[in-house]
Amino acid sequence: MKEIRVALAGPPNVGKSTLFNMLVGANRFVGNWPGKTVDKYEGYFEHMGYRIRVVDLPGTYSLNAYTEEEAIAREYIVTEKPDIVVVLVNAVSLETTLYLAVQVLELYDKVVVAVNKVDAALKRGIHVSTERLSRRLGVPVVAISALKREGLHELVDTIILVAEGRVPTSRLELNYRGLDYFAHTLAEAIKGCPGVSKYPLSWSSLRLLEGDAELERALASEGCAEALSLVERVREKVEEELGSPPSLIAASVRYSFIEEVVAESVSTTGVVKREITERLDSVLLHPLLGPLASLGLILLVLLATLSVNTGFPLKQLLEFTGNEELAQFFENYTLAGLLSSLFDSLSKALSEYLVQVGVPYPIVSLIADGVIGGVGAVITFLPLIFLVFVAFGFLEDTGLMARIATVYHSVMRKAGLSGKALMPLLLGLGCNVPAIMGTKILETDREKIIASLVAPLIPCQARLVVLLILVSALPVSPTSKLVAIVAVYLYSLLLVAVVARALSRLLVPGEAPELVLELPPYHRPSLKVIWWFAWDNTLHFLKKAGSVILGLSVLVWLLLHIGPSGFTDDASASMARVIGESLTPLTSIIGLPQWQVALALLTGFVAKETIASTLMVITGTLNPAQAIQALSLTPAQVASLMVFSTLYTPCVATLSAFHAQFRRRKLTALLVLYEFLVATISAIIVYLAVNLLVF
Amino acid sequence: MTVSSAIPLTFARPGALVRVVEVRGGRGAFRRLFELGIIPGQTLKVVFNDAGPVVVERGGTRFAIGRGLAAKILVEVVG
């Protein structure tokens, strides 16, 4: 059994002993630190095949080695080099308790910060963003309540991840302004001194400047007296030149860093009065009213976020009710519409300029269409993701999300998911990307994976466009067209339920998740918290998924513009055609042997809405009906194409979001393969069924 | 010994104060239950208990517990 040595550090009264006892239970031993009078608490527990040995360091406010306790704590971290140091801080008094954490982080990099008493903090309306803390501190941060045993599992999992080196951590390096320069000169002088060599060089030189009895002793005893007198001189010089003693400068740098971190990651809001909680809960948790009220809330959120971004479903509703002009207005003035026309004119202007200055046309096309197109695709997603997370942040922060999750739990449970999954999945009707990112709010990894695997089955707005275009080419009555589209939707949603259930059986066979959910007191939403949540997630998408989307967009551009005989503007002379042709044996299975269709499906991988337009471009026709005529597709073939293009491999952006979420190649491959399989089987059935019905 | 007056949490009336006597079952959701402090000896106030999940309150915090799980929590009514 692998052993992980964990040192537990924290200031007094932060709940360190509670955490220690909760972790090790009865397996604890009390002894003495060698040569010291302070008690030494040690214990162990087992988790996931690891034996985790915990040493409870004495509670100290800092690592200055002024007291015996501080010396022990510092000595242990430096000489014993535990696999992990867990530093406890108190969510209720973050500012004061972070001081020790900062000191530990400056000394050692294998650190996990545990924010204790988050429950008590939340009750006072104090939100701590562990993500932001973690980003600033450079190590994982976990929220816990040692007393209530909350978050301990996650803490232990994180300990293992860091110990195994699967999560990167770094030593904190603060900018000590002028001090750094002086510390650097000292570093040269003490480099060879064995007494301080066990400490990081920059750390010990700074500590010596600040005044550290233990380090000074070490220098003196190891025959580095010269260095010691240099320390004295430099210290005086600092005071002369910077106007204050180094110790004061260092402490104020640390505190101003802490203040910054706290300002960035803590927000305080008022808690709503109890009677209001009572009244709201009696509606939102009511067996009949609750689901209705929640559904209303969800629809409102969907309508608001999606309409602002893409006009869907408001535009479609307006069209349906005959308000064509208003619908067109919506089409043009949504965020996505504005951004895409912005990128269109940008790429046009750029290509004109590039042609003028004599750049060869193929390169112009690559930059203007391939790169700008790819960047545009990434950027147009950002407002949508941001707004969706604003809505999520609002629902979470107010406490409404927990109520929605509660009333829909029993329905979602039938699909092996929890009530919380309803919200991100419904989001998929607009766009699968925020749906997958939204699964972040789910409690367990298992559920995140299941929900993210099924989310791409939900027909998004882009696929609705394809469906509408394809169905318009069918020689049937308007009612039958509507029935066809509704049938595709119902079938997709049924698949979501079936696949989710199957996955939950396969991934972890056994019981479906039971509902145990804390219903937090209703909060007035904090704009700060919502902003953090939305902004962090948008940045995450940009960083993690952006490059993949851009890369794949350029790749597909290359495939469409490079042919066996070099650069071409004609897709039918490109590599894509070669690939399309080589794919026809596959598409023949679903009744579609035309290479043009295979090519259209290939471009649909970048963005699904291009499936229909590609068909028109290749056949040189002006509308889908003509395109389908030109390819002489039968109704059964069109139906097969409708089903296949709805269900097959998700688009580049969705796939990138999925991969960015889990970073597990096998899982991403599973998503692609199973969707392909499901789409193929479904399309075959539809093809055969329609053939039977029509002829 | 005395005859136990324990009933499943699902049978407790709204408004009642109950004390957790026993939690029958194994791992999984139970761990979460314990993390939330729903453990034998604790007193809970039943807030809602009709068709949906049972909602209880402990120390001012509300929890929703699925009916399946609630049926495995044995409580005695204390008020």
Side-chain angles (χ1 to χ4, degrees):
Chain A
M1 187 177 282
K2 244 188 167 157
E3 187 173 271
I4 296 177
R5 291 174 309 129
V6 177
L8 204 57
N13 300 322
V14 76
K16 201 157 61 73
S17 308
T18 313
L19 177 63
F20 176 75
N21 286 316
M22 287 289 183
L23 287 176
V24 302
N27 308 316
R28 58 203 285 277
F29 316 98
V30 187
N32 265 96
W33 292 92
K36 306 273 163 49
T37 55
V38 179
D39 281 341
K40 181 188 193 188
Y41 292 93
E42 222 179 316
Y44 68 88
F45 64 98
E46 277 161 22
H47 183 82
M48 311 266 291
Y50 290 90
R51 184 186 167 93
I52 298 173
R53 195 152 68 82
V54 188
V55 172
D56 189 14
L57 299 177
T60 58
Y61 291 103
S62 80
L63 289 182
N64 286 333
Y66 288 146
T67 64
E68 193 170 39
E69 283 89 348
E70 286 175 12
I72 291 171
R74 184 163 109 187
E75 187 66 17
Y76 186 83
I77 295 173
V78 172
T79 50
E80 299 293 319
K81 294 204 185 319
D83 296 314
I84 297 291
V85 179
V86 173
V87 192
L88 225 61
V89 296
N90 184 345
V92 182
S93 54
L94 203 55
E95 213 144 320
T96 41
T97 49
L98 264 176
Y99 195 74
L100 177 72
V102 165
Q103 289 209 319
V104 173
L105 282 164
E106 287 190 282
L107 184 61
Y108 203 55
D109 59 342
K110 292 283 188 193
V111 175
V112 174
V113 173
V115 183
N116 197 16
K117 306 190 187 179
V118 278
D119 51 332
L122 257 185
K123 273 198 198 117
R124 297 182 201 189
I126 302 170
H127 303 253
V128 180
S129 162
T130 51
E131 239 171 79
R132 293 195 154 232
L133 264 183
S134 156
R135 202 173 314 144
R136 284 308 295 263
L137 299 179
V139 297
V141 177
V142 184
I144 64 167
S145 165
L147 197 62
K148 295 192 179 158
R149 310 195 64 106
E150 280 169 36
L152 299 194
H153 240 267
E154 205 196 332
L155 177 62
V156 178
D157 288 343
T158 310
I159 288 173
I160 293 175
L161 284 178
V162 174
E164 291 283 356
R166 277 186 281 168
V167 174
T169 55
S170 55
R171 204 153 67 80
L172 183 66
E173 283 184 40
L174 296 183
N175 176 11
Y176 281 98
R177 300 178 207 142
L179 273 192
D180 289 328
Y181 165 76
F182 293 101
H184 196 72
T185 45
L186 262 187
E188 288 299 316
I190 61 168
K191 216 177 212 164
C193 297
V196 294
S197 61
K198 58 184 174 181
Y199 300 103
L201 195 59
S202 59
W203 183 86
S204 41
S205 49
L206 188 78
R207 288 293 313 152
L208 275 166
L209 268 188
E210 282 184 75
D212 189 300
E214 185 131 327
L215 287 180
E216 281 172 18
R217 245 196 322 276
L219 280 189
S221 68
E222 300 287 349
C224 278
E226 220 169 286
L228 194 56
S229 65
L230 181 68
V231 170
E232 291 287 345
R233 284 202 303 278
V234 175
R235 217 181 275 159
E236 275 162 29
K237 210 167 163 201
V238 169
E239 212 166 333
E240 226 168 78
E241 291 191 14
L242 300 179
S244 3
S247 53
L248 181 63
I249 299 176
S252 72
V253 164
R254 287 190 196 112
Y255 268 112
S256 61
F257 170 72
I258 290 173
E259 264 166 38
E260 253 176 65
V261 171
V262 169
E264 263 174 44
S265 45
V266 177
S267 158
T268 314
T269 44
V271 173
V272 168
K273 281 204 197 98
R274 278 209 64 78
E275 308 90 80
I276 301 177
T277 300
E278 296 272 344
R279 218 166 301 156
L280 278 174
D281 265 358
S282 62
V283 175
L284 285 174
L285 297 176
H286 188 277
L288 290 175
L289 289 177
L292 285 176
S294 287
L295 193 65
L297 214 55
I298 292 171
L299 290 180
L300 208 66
V301 166
L302 291 185
L303 196 71
T305 53
L306 297 175
S307 293
V308 170
N309 277 286
T310 54
F312 170 87
L314 208 55
K315 181 191 151 236
Q316 279 73 7
L317 282 175
L318 286 170
E319 267 174 3
F320 194 69
T321 50
N323 291 303
E324 286 289 344
E325 269 175 45
L326 210 54
Q328 194 55 46
F329 174 83
F330 250 94
E331 171 91 45
N332 296 335
Y333 290 96
T334 56
L335 281 174
L338 289 173
L339 280 172
S340 82
S341 56
L342 177 77
F343 276 99
D344 275 354
S345 23
L346 190 69
S347 95
K348 226 177 250 157
L350 189 69
S351 61
E352 269 168 25
Y353 171 76
L354 288 176
V355 167
Q356 244 174 28
V357 296
V359 177
Y361 178 68
I363 309 249
V364 173
S365 171
L366 170 66
I367 294 172
D369 303 332
V371 177
I372 303 268
V375 172
V378 176
I379 304 273
T380 27
F381 271 111
L382 293 184
L384 173 64
I385 286 162
F386 182 79
L387 282 179
V388 161
F389 277 102
V390 165
F392 270 38
F394 171 80
L395 291 179
E396 282 269 20
D397 198 46
T398 48
L400 287 167
M401 187 71 96
R403 274 76 183 181
I404 296 176
T406 301
V407 288
Y408 279 106
H409 188 78
S410 55
V411 178
M412 297 302 289
R413 197 175 167 229
K414 294 197 171 73
L417 292 164
S418 76
K420 245 187 171 174
L422 180 70
M423 192 73 208
L425 287 181
L426 281 179
L427 215 52
L429 289 171
C431 175
N432 291 168
V433 171
I436 284 179
M437 294 187 66
T439 61
K440 261 182 108 157
I441 62 165
L442 302 179
E443 307 258 325
T444 62
D445 270 354
R446 170 179 183 269
E447 205 189 341
K448 282 177 202 169
I449 291 173
I450 296 174
S452 301
L453 278 172
V454 298
L457 287 172
I458 297 168
C460 64
Q461 183 207 347
R463 282 175 271 181
L464 175 63
V465 172
V466 176
L467 286 176
L468 287 170
I469 292 176
L470 289 177
V471 88
S472 72
L474 281 177
V476 292
S477 70
T479 324
S480 313
K481 288 180 184 181
L482 188 65
V483 169
I485 288 188
V486 171
V488 172
Y489 265 73
L490 288 180
Y491 179 67
S492 306
L493 296 179
L494 178 74
L495 273 180
V496 169
V498 171
V499 174
R501 201 185 160 89
L503 283 173
S504 75
R505 288 272 160 96
L506 288 173
L507 278 178
V508 180
E511 45 185 329
E514 260 291 4
L515 176 74
V516 191
L517 200 61
E518 179 169 354
L519 303 171
Y522 291 99
H523 274 266
R524 256 169 268 133
S526 149
L527 286 181
K528 212 172 176 185
V529 171
I530 294 174
W531 163 260
W532 287 346
F533 187 63
W535 185 239
D536 286 352
N537 279 299
T538 310
L539 275 187
H540 180 83
F541 172 79
L542 186 63
K543 274 193 231 151
K544 295 288 158 73
S547 50
V548 184
I549 298 178
L550 180 61
L552 285 172
S553 302
V554 172
L555 179 71
V556 173
W557 181 91
L558 290 173
L559 288 179
L560 281 168
H561 288 84
I562 294 177
S565 51
F567 177 81
T568 171
D569 249 347
D570 177 11
S572 58
S574 69
M575 285 301 293
R577 176 179 180 166
V578 179
I579 297 175
E581 271 171 353
S582 66
L583 285 178
T584 48
L586 273 175
T587 51
S588 306
I589 304 175
I590 57 170
L592 293 158
Q594 295 84 346
W595 68 265
Q596 292 93 334
V597 173
L599 181 62
L601 289 171
L602 198 66
T603 61
F605 173 55
V606 174
K608 298 260 178 161
E609 60 268 35
T610 59
I611 293 176
S613 59
T614 305
L615 283 180
M616 288 185 260
V617 171
I618 310 175
T619 52
T621 50
L622 292 171
N623 66 48
Q626 283 176 9
I628 280 159
Q629 229 167 29
L631 292 169
S632 51
L633 295 184
T634 65
Q637 284 178 315
V638 175
S640 167
L641 186 57
M642 280 172 70
V643 171
F644 190 80
S645 49
T646 305
L647 298 173
Y648 84 114
T649 320
C651 70
V652 166
T654 305
L655 210 59
S656 311
F658 184 89
H659 191 68
Q661 188 99 311
F662 300 106
R663 309 238 128 216
R664 281 160 64 177
R665 287 210 190 96
K666 276 187 191 161
L667 213 55
T668 311
L670 173 70
L671 173 67
V672 174
L673 287 178
Y674 105 79
E675 274 215 282
F676 216 82
L677 201 67
V678 166
T680 306
I681 295 171
S682 308
I684 293 173
I685 295 171
V686 168
Y687 179 69
L688 294 177
V690 176
N691 261 340
L692 272 178
L693 285 174
V694 176
F695 302 107
Chain B
M1 287 296 281
T2 51
V3 178
S4 171
S5 58
I7 54 165
L9 180 59
T10 38
F11 290 169
R13 270 181 301 111
L17 271 184
V18 297
R19 184 164 39 232
V20 181
V21 177
E22 195 190 333
V23 178
R24 282 186 185 161
R27 302 180 305 271
F30 291 93
R31 202 193 75 223
R32 184 98 184 90
L33 213 53
F34 297 153
E35 279 191 353
L36 291 173
I38 298 170
I39 45 181
Q42 287 283 336
T43 305
L44 313 169
K45 188 182 162 205
V46 183
V47 184
F48 298 111
N49 186 4
D50 8 52
V54 182
V55 176
V56 297
E57 199 173 298
R58 180 181 53 74
T61 311
R62 295 188 165 186
F63 303 94
I65 304 173
R67 296 200 77 77
L69 196 58
K72 292 176 190 156
I73 302 173
L74 296 187
V75 298
E76 56 185 11
V77 179
V78 293

